[in-house]
Amino acid sequence: MSYELSATYDPKNVEDKWYSYWLEQKLFASKIDSKPAYTIVMPPPNVTGVLHMGHMLNNTIQDILVRRARMTGYNACWVPGTDHASIATEAKVVERLKTQGIKKSDLTREEFLKHAWDWTSEYGGIIIEQLKRVGASCDWDRIAFTMDEERSEAVIKVFCDLYRKGLIYRGVRMINWDPAAKTAISDEEVIHRSQHSKLYYVRYPIEGEEGKHLVIATTRPETIFGDVAICIHPDDERYVWARGKKVIVPGVGRVIPIILDDYIDMEFGTGCLKVTPSHDINDYMLGQKYNLPELDIFNDDGTLNELGGKYKSMDRFVVRKAFAEELEAEGYMVKIEDYENSVGFSERTDVPIEPKLSMQWFLKMGGLSKPAYKAVMEDVVQLVPSKFKSTYAHWMENIKDWNISRQLYWGHRIPAYFLKDGQVVVGETSEIALEEAKKVTGDNSLTMKDLEQDPDTLDTWFSSWLWPMSLFGSPLDKDNTEMKYYYPTSVLVSGPDILFFWVARMIIAGYEYQEAPPFKDVYLTGIVRDKQGRKMSKSLGNSPDPLHLIDLYGADGVRMGLMTSASAGNDILFDESLCEQGRNFNNKIWNSFRLIQGWKVSEEATQDESQSTAIRWFEQLLNQSESELDDLFSKYRLSEAMLLLYKLIWSDFSGTYLELIKPAYGSPIDPKTLKATNRIFERLMLLLHPFMPFITEELWQAIEPRKEGESIMVCQIQHTGLTDRTIIEEMELAREVVTNVRNLRAKHNLSPRELLELHYTDAPLNPSIQAVVKKLANISNFVHGDTIDENPEVSTFMVKVYTFGIPITGHVDIEAELEKLRAEQQHLEKFLKGIQSKLSNANFVSRAPEQVVALERKKEQDTIEKLGSIQHRISQLSK
């Protein structure tokens, strides 16, 4: 042994020590070599973010996969990084400036960016240091930031390339405007929620016809200031009289036409629609069709502009209430009803978005998306679980051009430049743009003063869609050595909520620039919820701090607690008791090894039958478990893998193996058994290490002296060959017998120390099984015969086809025993009836696979034999 362990396991004494050791020894680093690459790129968290339970789950899964890959022959490379998160970060900087009495509008772009970089420098490293506490085995030398020099260069080059291919264009479109962030956002960044609203019924007077009017139902009376027409259905006979006439916009006085279009839903409201092209996508389409004017009534912050008259500079929701009251006072309001409707909210700022006509940059997605769609549908890229393929297909089949411009300072500035005559040129640098401008205009006298760069920045996702490529070089470079080795990556671990935002776009970019998808598999995690099924949030107070949990239970305890309930794609109902279970598991492993470490060794001691049987059994059980783990990892069933290891260590190793091999109290153990036990324990630690890296490193180092630089994390899991199922099945039989004997002792209040005789029927038990049962159940000797002794004071039980009996003179309650046997008889008769019903069904027998029918016939035979034994026993006890 390399050193003695402390009496109790304290994660605080272990975790920092070994993480520092791994870093010092550069054990996370990856360089190109002859081994196959196993690559994961970390979904970059917000640069100024802090660790939450979603991060904890996602990064634990990534770490498990990477550590397992390192130990199974791969050159594992996990690349970390952070995202500049343009909207979220800019909002935080604006908020901080506000506390200092500074408005964003008072600053130049350069002044604001200095504040943003200061903020990023101040808070940017927090989440990275927190991930280290989780145990994340990233190659920290490769850490990247979406706005660092390399990533920024890649973003700008890709924009210019796509523009030159004719895939990026600029135009006025109806977009989603976030009044809080003062920027456009994509359709995918809008969250629709059901809201309790009001439906306002407003009179629009007919021009020149006193007393005549149309009634319009609207949920947004503040947009009346932007009305340019009233639309009715051409088949609506209620309004035949109004055709060709005009109405006066109430409270505004503007005269607008009545138009006809079958777009109108005659059943909604009054069947009349007010048309506001600048603030509703459907109205915009009508406006385009009928060449209607476009009146934008809102400022960028959601207040009304000069078109709002006396309501200028007032917030839209304040105007809604005030203008409704004015309409009511002026006699224009017919009625107001309660109404449930769906309202779009900005995902980032959680304020209602405003549909708005705006000049923006767009990327054509139709042709670009086809290879990415095909890749997932044909399982070139596999989604785990596959149920998300239908969601992916729906999005991709309904894809729209991507609005890639944002009206922010923080982000990659669009490399487009305007000439004084309105022409646009694009260039990777201002110098390239100037040369392009000279070429386009034929004017070689142009200087940089003649060009003005677009003030907009690119959507954050426009940088992160290149992430799996830009981490290894320029996406446009197909001869890059690192790209060829590490790309495509092996698996992406992400949430289904950004399946389109990010995952689909990365696949699109991968095919466009490397003619290959960026990853082979996509493991989609569920959402971490509380035990009541509620989504975790600060407002509910149900979101624990992962670092606090690590302080209480250790990183391994929290990792284990999360993974036992984290099947792919399914939400996790998190309960802190899961972490407590993880801590208890740590303690169990620790105490088991301390028990082994505490045994004295003697060359005179010899290995007995129970010890040799235990070693043979557990080695085969390990072989079987290794194969099962290979299968579970290949299917990303990590929760099942964790539970398999939990049972293997807690129940099989600590509960059975150690009981079988431990020497009698005060006696030494033989060297052969101890050596085999250390070998077995080492194999267990290797299998467990990806899930619980800290305690496994500590114990692996303690098994025997290690050299500086050695670590469990770079040891290889060696498969030792095929599994011998015979010894495993024999041990299953033995353990079931032991359980039944212990139950009989408890039932009859017999001391575990009291030696008992065990009678049994059927084939003779081999010496290995007898040795195990003898030691674990405290049996004096075995009596084998064709039948159990006819003495009614023998308590019996059945295991498989064997009948076992223990003579317990003076301790048997015959009536209770008969009651139990009759209940068992009733259960077996019902079970037998079901089997025989199935076997008497000609369709089942003729159509079911041969092995299935054979299995049913064996069940029938075994049940008949068990019933015979029970009936015989009932007969004995009834005499």
Side-chain angles (χ1 to χ4, degrees):
M1 308 298 172
S2 60
Y3 52 84
E4 289 292 321
L5 298 178
S6 60
T8 57
Y9 177 60
D10 185 354
K12 292 184 180 68
N13 296 333
V14 170
E15 293 173 359
D16 287 346
K17 174 179 74 174
W18 289 119
Y19 201 87
S20 297
Y21 176 80
W22 294 330
L23 289 175
E24 288 163 10
Q25 300 299 327
K26 295 284 186 183
L27 296 175
F28 302 155
S30 173
K31 305 291 183 189
I32 295 174
D33 62 21
S34 59
K35 288 188 265 185
Y38 185 95
T39 318
I40 294 181
V41 296
M42 177 186 289
N46 288 1
V47 64
T48 58
V50 293
L51 195 72
H52 56 61
M53 291 304 291
H55 293 133
M56 183 81 195
L57 171 67
N58 187 289
N59 286 281
T60 295
I61 291 168
Q62 290 176 80
D63 193 49
I64 289 167
L65 294 171
V66 164
R67 287 180 182 272
R68 171 83 180 180
R70 258 189 219 107
M71 301 174 79
T72 52
Y74 291 93
N75 179 353
C77 180
W78 182 14
V79 187
T82 52
D83 187 88
H84 65 279
S86 54
I87 295 178
T89 303
E90 182 149 325
K92 287 180 180 178
V93 175
V94 168
E95 191 62 33
R96 179 152 98 167
L97 289 171
K98 194 184 291 182
T99 65
Q100 299 170 3
I102 303 170
K103 292 180 181 179
K104 178 187 172 184
S105 56
D106 294 337
L107 301 174
T108 65
R109 185 186 198 101
E110 289 68 28
E111 287 170 341
F112 180 85
L113 287 174
K114 184 182 182 306
H115 284 283
W117 279 109
D118 288 346
W119 172 272
T120 303
S121 299
E122 189 176 343
Y123 295 100
I126 293 174
I127 195 165
I128 295 302
E129 293 308 309
Q130 292 173 330
L131 285 170
K132 291 177 181 178
R133 287 205 60 194
V134 177
S137 59
C138 302
D139 185 346
W140 295 110
D141 293 337
R142 292 178 176 270
I143 191 165
F145 175 46
T146 52
M147 274 183 63
D148 64 24
E149 190 175 338
E150 286 182 63
R151 263 46 65 180
S152 295
E153 184 180 324
V155 169
I156 299 305
K157 280 184 176 180
V158 165
F159 179 94
C160 294
D161 177 68
L162 292 170
Y163 179 83
R164 288 167 188 147
K165 289 174 178 174
L167 295 172
I168 287 178
Y169 64 93
R170 188 168 181 260
V172 175
R173 297 286 185 277
M174 179 66 67
I175 52 93
N176 305 298
W177 185 261
D178 181 334
K182 297 180 186 174
T183 181
I185 59 174
S186 67
D187 289 346
E188 293 76 33
E189 292 168 294
V190 177
I191 308 299
H192 291 274
R193 296 186 203 140
S194 180
Q195 295 284 298
H196 298 293
S197 302
K198 300 288 183 184
L199 192 59
Y200 301 86
Y201 289 79
V202 182
R203 288 189 181 92
Y204 282 63
I206 301 292
E207 183 192 28
E209 297 187 27
E210 194 169 340
K212 286 198 170 186
H213 58 263
L214 292 177
V215 176
I216 313 299
T218 180
T219 57
R220 305 189 63 203
E222 70 276 14
T223 63
I224 287 174
F225 294 101
D227 288 354
V228 296
I230 297 295
C231 189
I232 56 178
H233 198 287
D235 296 336
D236 196 334
E237 295 182 1
R238 293 174 296 175
Y239 301 114
V240 171
W241 62 269
R243 292 178 184 179
K245 297 182 179 181
K246 296 182 179 181
V247 297
I248 302 168
V249 179
V252 179
R254 184 168 57 249
V255 176
I256 59 175
I258 297 171
I259 61 174
L260 305 177
D261 196 276
D262 58 11
Y263 160 74
I264 300 303
D265 178 2
M266 290 189 285
E267 302 302 317
F268 175 76
T270 63
C272 298
L273 176 77
K274 69 186 206 66
V275 183
T276 316
S278 293
H279 301 291
D280 182 277
I281 183 61
N282 297 310
D283 290 10
Y284 172 71
M285 291 164 66
L286 279 172
Q288 291 288 296
K289 186 174 179 180
Y290 293 97
N291 197 28
L292 298 172
E294 293 160 358
L295 302 180
D296 185 350
I297 65 169
F298 291 118
N299 296 314
D300 287 350
D301 61 357
T303 59
L304 270 72
N305 60 25
E306 61 281 352
L307 290 173
K310 64 183 177 183
Y311 297 106
K312 179 184 175 183
S313 300
M314 292 174 64
D315 182 78
R316 53 190 167 150
F317 296 114
V318 173
V319 174
R320 179 178 298 180
K321 184 174 185 295
F323 189 45
E325 289 172 356
E326 179 187 329
L327 292 173
E328 194 155 17
E330 296 291 333
Y332 292 115
M333 189 71 71
V334 178
K335 60 179 177 177
I336 303 173
E337 294 179 345
D338 290 329
Y339 184 67
E340 286 281 331
N341 66 331
S342 178
V343 177
F345 284 76
S346 167
E347 184 190 42
R348 294 294 184 189
T349 61
D350 200 37
V351 300
I353 61 100
E354 198 60 62
K356 179 182 173 76
L357 278 177
S358 179
M359 178 68 79
Q360 301 286 337
W361 291 90
F362 295 88
L363 174 60
K364 297 176 184 177
M365 298 296 281
L368 278 177
S369 64
K370 287 177 182 177
Y373 173 75
K374 186 179 179 184
V376 171
M377 292 303 101
E378 295 181 358
D379 290 328
V380 175
V381 175
Q382 293 201 50
L383 302 186
V384 181
S386 60
K387 67 180 181 181
F388 288 107
K389 279 176 73 173
S390 58
T391 305
Y392 182 90
H394 175 73
W395 278 332
M396 296 295 275
E397 288 163 5
N398 295 279
I399 199 164
K400 297 175 183 175
D401 287 356
W402 178 8
N403 174 9
I404 57 173
S405 49
R406 298 291 180 266
Q407 289 63 55
L408 301 166
Y409 285 162
W410 180 244
H412 300 99
R413 191 169 180 182
I414 291 175
Y417 299 79
F418 302 107
L419 279 70
K420 290 178 180 178
D421 64 0
Q423 288 191 80
V424 179
V425 292
V426 162
E428 288 81 355
T429 63
S430 56
E431 292 77 16
I432 293 173
L434 179 59
E435 290 305 310
E436 184 66 20
K438 289 177 181 179
K439 194 185 301 180
V440 168
T441 61
D443 183 355
N444 288 324
S445 67
L446 291 175
T447 67
M448 285 306 303
K449 291 180 181 178
D450 298 307
L451 271 65
E452 183 180 350
Q453 188 174 357
D454 193 313
D456 290 355
T457 54
L458 287 160
D459 181 7
T460 300
W461 298 108
F462 196 85
S463 57
S464 52
W465 80 320
L466 305 175
W467 189 244
M469 293 180 286
S470 64
L471 291 172
F472 303 109
S474 170
L476 280 72
D477 183 2
K478 293 182 181 177
D479 294 322
N480 179 303
T481 306
E482 283 226 326
M483 191 85 77
K484 284 181 176 179
Y485 183 71
Y486 290 112
Y487 185 97
T489 66
S490 303
V491 60
L492 176 78
V493 181
S494 184
D497 53 327
I498 54 173
L499 183 56
F500 184 76
F501 278 141
W502 190 43
V503 179
R505 288 170 176 165
M506 282 190 287
I507 301 173
I508 291 169
Y511 275 103
E512 177 66 14
Y513 287 105
Q514 293 296 317
E515 297 175 2
F519 25 72
K520 302 176 185 78
D521 300 322
V522 180
Y523 180 111
L524 295 162
T525 66
I527 296 170
V528 184
R529 300 183 180 275
D530 66 15
K531 58 186 176 182
Q532 297 176 44
R534 300 176 301 176
K535 192 171 181 178
M536 289 185 171
S537 69
K538 288 180 183 177
S539 60
L540 288 174
N542 64 345
S543 182
D545 176 0
L547 297 182
H548 177 64
L549 293 175
I550 289 172
D551 288 338
L552 287 176
Y553 304 107
D556 287 336
V558 180
R559 286 168 65 121
M560 186 260 182
L562 265 177
M563 291 314 301
T564 52
S565 59
S567 57
N570 293 320
D571 290 353
I572 294 92
L573 296 182
F574 179 78
D575 188 334
E576 199 168 316
S577 63
L578 294 169
C579 299
E580 190 175 353
Q581 183 183 9
R583 180 183 62 189
N584 294 343
F585 187 42
N586 273 324
N587 292 335
K588 185 74 169 179
I589 299 166
W590 188 263
N591 293 333
S592 294
F593 187 68
R594 284 192 70 245
L595 176 68
I596 298 166
Q597 200 180 43
W599 289 331
K600 292 180 180 178
V601 188
S602 171
E603 295 292 337
E604 284 75 42
T606 57
Q607 190 178 80
D608 64 27
E609 180 77 22
S610 65
Q611 291 171 320
S612 63
T613 299
I615 292 164
R616 284 189 296 113
W617 162 64
F618 208 85
E619 286 177 340
Q620 294 306 310
L621 195 59
L622 275 169
N623 290 350
Q624 176 179 286
S625 299
E626 285 168 356
S627 296
E628 290 175 0
L629 284 169
D630 282 346
D631 181 61
L632 292 171
F633 267 92
S634 73
K635 297 170 180 172
Y636 296 100
R637 289 158 67 172
L638 304 188
S639 180
E640 290 176 52
M642 181 69 253
L643 291 169
L644 183 153
L645 288 168
Y646 179 76
K647 177 186 177 298
L648 183 66
I649 293 171
W650 189 291
S651 175
D652 300 327
F653 181 75
S654 299
T656 299
Y657 177 82
L658 291 182
E659 289 298 310
L660 280 170
I661 61 110
K662 73 179 181 183
Y665 182 74
S667 300
I669 194 168
D670 68 283
K672 187 178 179 183
T673 300
L674 184 61
K675 183 179 179 182
T677 299
N678 280 331
R679 183 176 67 242
I680 284 169
F681 189 78
E682 184 164 0
R683 285 178 69 185
L684 281 173
M685 293 302 96
L686 261 64
L687 295 179
L688 184 62
H689 175 75
F691 294 90
M692 303 174 73
F694 294 108
I695 191 171
T696 51
E697 182 75 79
E698 176 79 0
L699 295 177
W700 182 85
Q701 296 280 351
I703 293 171
E704 62 181 58
R706 310 288 184 185
K707 296 175 185 174
E708 181 68 17
E710 287 188 314
S711 169
I712 188 173
M713 66 174 284
V714 290
C715 291
Q716 296 301 292
I717 297 170
Q718 302 291 343
H719 291 288
T720 53
L722 298 173
T723 301
D724 179 2
R725 285 285 308 162
T726 305
I727 182 67
I728 293 175
E729 289 167 1
E730 287 176 349
M731 276 298 295
E732 287 173 0
L733 171 63
R735 292 169 84 186
E736 199 171 339
V737 172
V738 170
T739 299
N740 277 277
V741 172
R742 288 173 176 173
N743 290 342
L744 286 178
R745 285 181 184 275
K747 177 181 175 182
H748 298 295
N749 297 315
L750 295 175
S751 167
R753 296 180 180 179
E754 187 175 340
L755 285 167
L756 297 175
E757 191 174 72
L758 184 61
H759 295 234
Y760 71 97
T761 64
D762 210 81
L765 294 171
N766 70 37
S768 298
I769 296 176
Q770 289 194 32
V772 169
V773 174
K774 192 171 186 178
K775 184 162 188 177
L776 296 182
N778 202 14
I779 299 299
S780 58
N781 64 293
F782 293 82
V783 178
H784 177 242
D786 294 333
T787 59
I788 298 293
D789 185 7
E790 297 294 319
N791 182 356
E793 293 192 352
V794 175
S795 196
T796 63
F797 59 88
M798 291 192 70
V799 176
K800 301 191 186 303
V801 296
Y802 290 91
T803 299
F804 292 89
I806 296 178
I808 316 176
T809 305
H811 291 282
V812 174
D813 182 338
I814 293 176
E815 287 305 315
E817 185 76 2
L818 279 169
E819 185 178 346
K820 175 188 146 192
L821 287 167
R822 285 176 183 135
E824 178 68 8
Q825 179 186 25
Q826 189 176 9
H827 168 73
L828 287 173
E829 284 172 346
K830 187 176 179 182
F831 182 66
L832 180 62
K833 186 178 179 183
I835 294 171
Q836 290 176 336
S837 172
K838 194 183 288 186
L839 289 171
S840 65
N841 185 328
N843 284 335
F844 170 77
V845 175
S846 63
R847 293 179 183 177
E850 190 177 327
Q851 62 268 31
V852 173
V853 176
L855 181 62
E856 293 300 314
R857 293 200 191 283
K858 186 175 186 309
K859 284 183 191 174
E860 179 187 35
Q861 188 58 39
D862 289 349
T863 307
I864 290 170
E865 289 180 17
K866 284 182 182 179
L867 273 169
S869 297
I870 287 173
Q871 286 160 356
H872 178 69
R873 181 67 179 148
I874 289 172
S875 175
Q876 284 181 310
L877 292 174
S878 299
K879 289 178 181 177

